[in-house]
Amino acid sequence: MQKTITVIRGDGIGPEIVEQAIRVLNRIAEKFGHTFCFQNVLAGGCAIDACGTSLPEDTLQKCLNCDSVLLGAVGGPKWDGVPKEIRPEAALLGIRSAMGLYANLRPARLFRQLAAASPLKPEIVSRGIDLMMVRELIGGAYFGAHVTAEEKGELVAHDDMTYAEHEIERIARTAFSIARKRDHRVISVDKANVLDTSRLWRKVVGRVAGEFPDVKCENMLVDNTAMQLVKNPAQFDVVVTENLFGDILSDEASMITGSIGMMASASLGEGTRGMYEPIHGSAPDIAGKDLANPIGTILSAAMMLRYSFDLDEEAACIEDAIDRVLDAGYRTADIMSEGCMQIGCREMGDKILEQIG
Ligand code: NAD
């Protein structure tokens, strides 16, 4: 298989962590007989410095003309004062909307070797946490009209939450397709006892569920889901929900697994092309010190193999290698605990490469 991957190293620790992910992808290509061609582009603060804008046209074109995008992180205090249209984060929104990435996937998996990092009680953690949060990314309250106006002598604010059937249908299909690669279970989260958008959501998800008879589908109210995530996270496989609920629940789900440096994400649209990135930012406090944990980025690269290139075995090979490195007691500073061996970002890359073989 031959694939072209657009690479945005970005700012802060971005270049260090992306480097390790590229080394891993190259090793996987060698081992399984694929060719991955990397095209490097600028976005974020480094692009502001080089081109005066956080999202140069060449970057956008290369994101639109490739098989997938791998991103480190963008931003940092150096660019805090720039106008908001060209801020580093604006580049990400620009790429997501130009690529039509409407589905945000965040796996929340607790590595058993890092169980102590979870804020949940050991008896809950011991049942395991391995779920996939699928959040609708370009609809709902965040994209409706936002208005604040004076009415009857006081300020009144309105945020319009709108969903059309086709927007729900496509994210539901994404969730069910992902469930087929996992444990064949979907929980759809809404607030159908109150909101019309949620009643439509439930109806459309139910209809799409009919196309996937091999996947079990249940509905859960968002307030109950927030409780269940901390009470019994082991019950979840794939969770699909709208933008606002997903924003909150995906942070909650990430938190219960412990360290931010371990967390991967994907944003998908129509077709197979996606953008893959760790959930953390550019960590300017540790940039250039070889302290960053590259695992979230390497796991994002594994997601690219699984969800964009349909290379399940190759993705599993990376995930298993990480598992074995953690088993052997190697840790970057952010996940360090007593009795383990602390290593840097590059050495963590080396250890994972060794395990891939
Ligand atoms: P951050 O995620 O960069 O850092 C928060 C804390 O976590 C820091 O102490 C950092 O050292 C640590 N950390 C983060 N990633 C780590 C890793 N891989 N290994 C070890 N430790 C890690 O959040 P922040 O400090 O609020 O933001 C810094 C910059 O990143 C800001 O400019 C922000 O706007 C930007 N940001 C970018 C993205 C993105 O590119 N997608 C996302 C969030 C924040």
Side-chain angles (χ1 to χ4, degrees):
M1 178 181 284
Q2 177 159 348
K3 294 288 178 192
T4 301
I5 300 169
T6 297
V7 178
I8 302 173
R9 289 164 197 262
D11 308 311
I13 59 170
E16 304 165 51
I17 53 178
V18 168
E19 188 54 36
Q20 303 317 314
I22 288 178
R23 292 174 72 208
V24 165
L25 285 172
N26 277 329
R27 179 61 59 88
I28 288 289
E30 245 172 75
K31 183 172 168 138
F32 291 87
H34 306 302
T35 306
F36 298 136
C37 307
F38 299 100
Q39 44 185 19
N40 291 298
V41 294
L42 294 177
C46 55
I48 298 176
D49 290 348
C51 321
T53 173
S54 58
L55 182 53
E57 186 54 32
D58 172 65
T59 299
L60 193 55
Q61 287 312 320
K62 289 206 166 89
C63 289
L64 293 172
N65 293 296
C66 68
D67 294 305
S68 265
V69 179
L70 179 66
L71 169 85
V74 297
K78 183 178 174 193
W79 303 281
D80 277 351
V82 303
K84 79 170 190 290
E85 325 70 77
I86 62 155
R87 276 184 66 92
E89 297 76 10
L92 301 186
L93 298 182
I95 296 169
R96 281 179 193 143
S97 88
M99 290 175 73
L101 304 176
Y102 58 78
N104 184 236
L105 276 51
R106 269 204 205 180
R109 173 181 170 207
L110 180 80
F111 284 83
R112 68 195 144 66
Q113 304 90 337
L114 307 180
S118 172
L120 300 183
K121 286 185 183 160
E123 61 264 34
I124 296 176
V125 168
S126 65
R127 281 182 242 141
I129 305 174
D130 184 2
L131 64 94
M132 176 69 80
M133 190 68 69
V134 179
R135 167 190 171 194
E136 201 290 326
L137 204 57
I138 54 176
Y142 293 0
F143 285 79
H146 307 291
V147 181
T148 306
E150 200 169 308
E151 288 177 26
K152 296 182 189 152
E154 63 176 343
L155 285 176
V156 178
H158 304 261
D159 297 297
D160 174 30
M161 185 185 210
T162 304
Y163 269 106
E165 285 181 271
H166 76 274
E167 294 173 301
I168 305 169
E169 248 169 47
R170 64 189 183 185
I171 187 82
R173 278 206 187 92
T174 303
F176 283 101
S177 306
I178 286 167
R180 278 190 167 156
K181 287 180 175 267
R182 295 176 49 99
D183 199 29
H184 293 70
R185 293 182 289 123
V186 169
I187 289 186
S188 171
V189 176
D190 60 38
K191 189 70 182 166
N193 52 343
V194 179
L195 300 175
D196 260 33
T197 43
S198 282
R199 283 189 274 270
L200 181 63
W201 181 276
R202 196 172 275 211
K203 189 170 153 189
V204 175
V205 170
R207 195 162 73 209
V208 174
E211 298 168 22
F212 295 82
D214 52 322
V215 177
K216 187 175 168 216
C217 177
E218 283 174 54
N219 299 299
M220 192 178 276
L221 293 174
V222 62
D223 38 358
N224 186 27
T225 311
M227 284 194 291
Q228 295 298 329
L229 272 173
V230 289
K231 193 173 161 210
N232 182 18
Q235 71 187 288
F236 295 102
D237 179 27
V238 173
V239 177
V240 62
T241 191
E242 63 88 47
N243 202 345
L244 171 62
F245 300 158
D247 191 6
I248 299 164
L249 293 178
S250 61
D251 270 20
E252 185 186 357
S254 305
M255 186 56 221
I256 58 176
T257 63
S259 169
I260 195 172
M262 304 286 297
M263 308 297 299
S265 84
S267 301
L268 299 174
E270 293 302 343
T272 54
R273 194 182 53 197
M275 178 151 97
Y276 296 83
E277 55 182 310
I279 72 161
H280 58 73
S282 60
D285 52 333
I286 56 167
K289 298 180 181 163
D290 196 35
L291 282 174
N293 183 348
I295 295 179
T297 317
I298 294 170
L299 286 171
S300 302
M303 287 183 82
M304 178 187 291
L305 299 183
R306 178 170 285 123
Y307 295 111
S308 282
F309 305 161
D310 216 15
L311 297 175
D312 284 346
E313 193 188 342
E314 288 81 342
C317 174
I318 297 176
E319 291 156 355
D320 292 347
I322 292 172
D323 230 27
R324 287 195 297 273
V325 170
L326 295 174
D327 272 344
Y330 294 109
R331 305 280 189 271
T332 44
D334 58 312
I335 51 172
M336 183 61 189
S337 60
E338 221 183 301
C340 293
M341 285 155 283
Q342 188 173 326
I343 56 176
C345 180
R346 188 169 174 90
E347 205 180 342
M348 181 55 88
D350 293 342
K351 295 291 175 204
I352 294 169
L353 289 180
E354 267 168 34
Q355 288 300 331
I356 290 171

